[in-house]
Amino acid sequence: MGENAISGSFETISVLLHISGDLKNIAIDTGRSETLVVCFGEMLIDFVPTVGGVSLAEAPAFKKAPGGAPANVAVGVSRLGGSSAFVGKVGDDEFGRMLAEILRLNNVDSSGMRFDHEARTALTFVTLRGDGEREFLFFRHPSADMRLLESELDKNLIQKAKIFHYGSISLIEEPCRSTQLAAMKIAKASGSLLSYDPNLRLALWPSEEAARKEIMSIWNLADVIKISEEEITFLTGGDDPYDDEVVLQKLFHPNLKLLVVSEGPNGCRYFTQEFKGKVGGVKVKAVDTTGAGDAFVSGLLNSLASDLTILNDEKKLREALLFANACGAITATERGAIPAMPTMNAVQDLLSSSRS
């Protein structure tokens, strides 16, 4: 990955011209973002029951919330004070325009976002069981995110990424599958760190076999991978997700710089070429785990974007993973994904109180 540094020089010059009466003030800001995290994939509307522990049929009402794992991560990074951008497609409809506005309000670069005039923005109904875990019902027949074309990619934006993050949902159908592969190729050639969270949603795939095959088809291209215990079991065909040897022998590849296994409230395990270990979770009262994994990823990527030496320093890595655990924990204390993404101050306050 060429030392994980962005090759080439991508300098942006923005000129702000403010005119007030006869007064003209010109402020010039030069330079590119050295910490840009570009997130590729789906953005959609989550409909979450207003009460927990009920089925879709039993829910008295639903609250709409912006969602989609890559978009969640982009907002999460920005909410923490980092620099992020989203690349994907939504419908040219009320929901799509609402999502674009949410990105803008959260200081996420949406210049790579496209609008489909034929397909609608994707909708997902998310049920919250008594323990706060989720069940999904998707409306994508097809949805706009599935129709992103390679010709619609903002290549210049992707080339500026210090980290290029993506999932597997865009691999389910063409043309978005080929578009994701093309975007990954652009990022790789530009020296971006490739970050992969499979975010398994079996209900969206035609079969388990198809899901396993496609998720693994791009496995060896990633520099950083985040997976859950359930995803380990699925991808290995039923092996013990808590056995480190299973992870190392079946999921860790020679070019991988970091593999993280998220374990919800129990924290996470980490594996690199040189060391492995576990970082405990941060205890909170969970209300809704929607977006908690994405918040974890955003916390980790925000740290990596600021300091890639974390990958080679176990002490720094453990601190970054504890920070990421706290990001996920805070998100689980509120309903919805994007609305619950934490600020830097909130994470630092939680970590301070948990240490005292």
Side-chain angles (χ1 to χ4, degrees):
M1 195 55 68
E3 299 302 318
N4 297 319
I6 300 177
S7 62
S9 174
F10 301 95
E11 180 172 83
T12 61
I13 302 176
S14 62
V15 180
L16 174 65
L17 179 61
H18 175 67
I19 303 177
S20 176
D22 294 330
L23 180 64
K24 298 181 180 181
N25 297 318
I26 300 177
I28 300 178
D29 177 28
T30 63
R32 63 178 173 83
S33 169
E34 297 290 343
T35 61
L36 180 64
V37 178
V38 175
C39 300
F40 176 97
E42 69 278 3
M43 188 173 192
L44 45 83
I45 302 291
D46 285 331
F47 284 94
V48 184
T50 53
V51 296
V54 297
S55 69
L56 289 176
E58 295 168 336
F62 295 88
K63 175 185 177 183
K64 74 176 187 295
N72 293 344
V73 173
V75 171
V77 169
S78 180
R79 197 75 60 82
L80 291 169
S83 174
S84 68
F86 174 74
V87 175
K89 200 171 193 180
V90 295
D92 185 17
D93 51 40
E94 287 296 315
F95 283 142
R97 288 186 285 274
M98 183 193 90
L99 293 175
E101 177 65 6
I102 285 168
L103 291 181
R104 186 189 70 79
L105 292 173
N106 282 280
N107 298 313
V108 174
D109 183 340
S110 62
S111 60
M113 193 176 199
R114 302 292 178 257
F115 295 86
D116 196 301
H117 300 295
E118 297 178 10
R120 299 286 179 87
T121 301
L123 307 179
T124 303
F125 285 81
V126 187
T127 64
L128 310 175
R129 300 199 307 256
D131 58 1
E133 285 299 322
R134 302 154 295 160
E135 295 175 358
F136 298 90
L137 178 61
F138 301 95
F139 286 78
R140 304 168 84 236
H141 307 292
S143 54
D145 60 287
M146 302 161 66
R147 291 162 50 95
L148 182 66
L149 302 172
E150 182 178 347
S151 61
E152 295 176 306
L153 288 175
D154 186 335
K155 295 181 180 180
N156 290 332
L157 176 63
I158 295 171
Q159 288 171 332
K160 294 175 184 177
K162 185 159 190 179
I163 298 175
F164 184 74
H165 177 71
Y166 49 89
S168 69
I169 289 175
S170 295
L171 299 175
I172 296 173
E173 290 197 29
E174 295 290 358
C176 196
R177 179 183 181 277
S178 293
T179 304
Q180 173 166 333
L181 297 178
M184 290 169 58
K185 186 175 181 180
I186 293 167
K188 190 95 168 177
S190 301
S192 306
L193 188 81
L194 297 195
S195 166
Y196 184 25
D197 177 1
N199 193 37
L200 178 65
R201 296 288 181 263
L202 264 181
L204 291 174
W205 292 88
S207 68
E208 290 191 8
E209 181 182 357
R212 195 175 291 110
K213 178 183 177 183
E214 286 298 324
I215 288 172
M216 295 306 296
S217 71
I218 60 171
W219 198 261
N220 291 348
L221 298 175
D223 298 297
V224 175
I225 296 176
K226 193 281 286 185
I227 50 176
S228 67
E229 302 144 290
E230 294 81 6
E231 287 164 345
I232 294 175
T233 301
F234 175 76
L235 294 173
T236 60
D239 286 353
D240 182 0
Y242 304 102
D243 186 341
D244 287 355
E245 288 306 308
V246 167
V247 176
L248 288 169
Q249 292 176 17
K250 294 195 173 184
L251 296 175
F252 198 93
H253 65 76
N255 298 319
L256 195 56
K257 294 174 174 60
L258 173 64
L259 188 149
V260 179
V261 180
S262 59
E263 299 182 343
N266 297 318
C268 63
R269 283 178 286 155
Y270 59 89
F271 303 83
T272 73
Q273 300 282 356
E274 298 171 4
F275 43 78
K276 66 175 184 174
K278 179 178 175 63
V279 177
V282 181
K283 302 302 180 184
V284 295
K285 183 177 180 181
V287 173
D288 174 13
T289 59
T290 303
D294 301 328
F296 173 93
V297 172
S298 67
L300 175 59
L301 296 188
N302 188 60
S303 296
L304 288 176
S306 300
D307 183 8
L308 286 177
T309 67
I310 287 172
L311 294 169
N312 304 309
D313 185 323
E314 188 169 13
K315 184 175 183 292
K316 285 185 178 180
L317 177 60
R318 291 183 63 85
E319 290 173 354
L321 290 172
L322 179 62
F323 179 87
N325 285 343
C327 290
I330 291 174
T331 302
T333 63
E334 296 183 34
R335 296 192 190 282
I338 284 177
M341 291 287 163
T343 63
M344 180 66 75
N345 285 341
V347 179
Q348 291 174 340
D349 287 346
L350 176 60
L351 289 173
S352 296
S353 63
S354 65
R355 290 186 181 118
S356 59

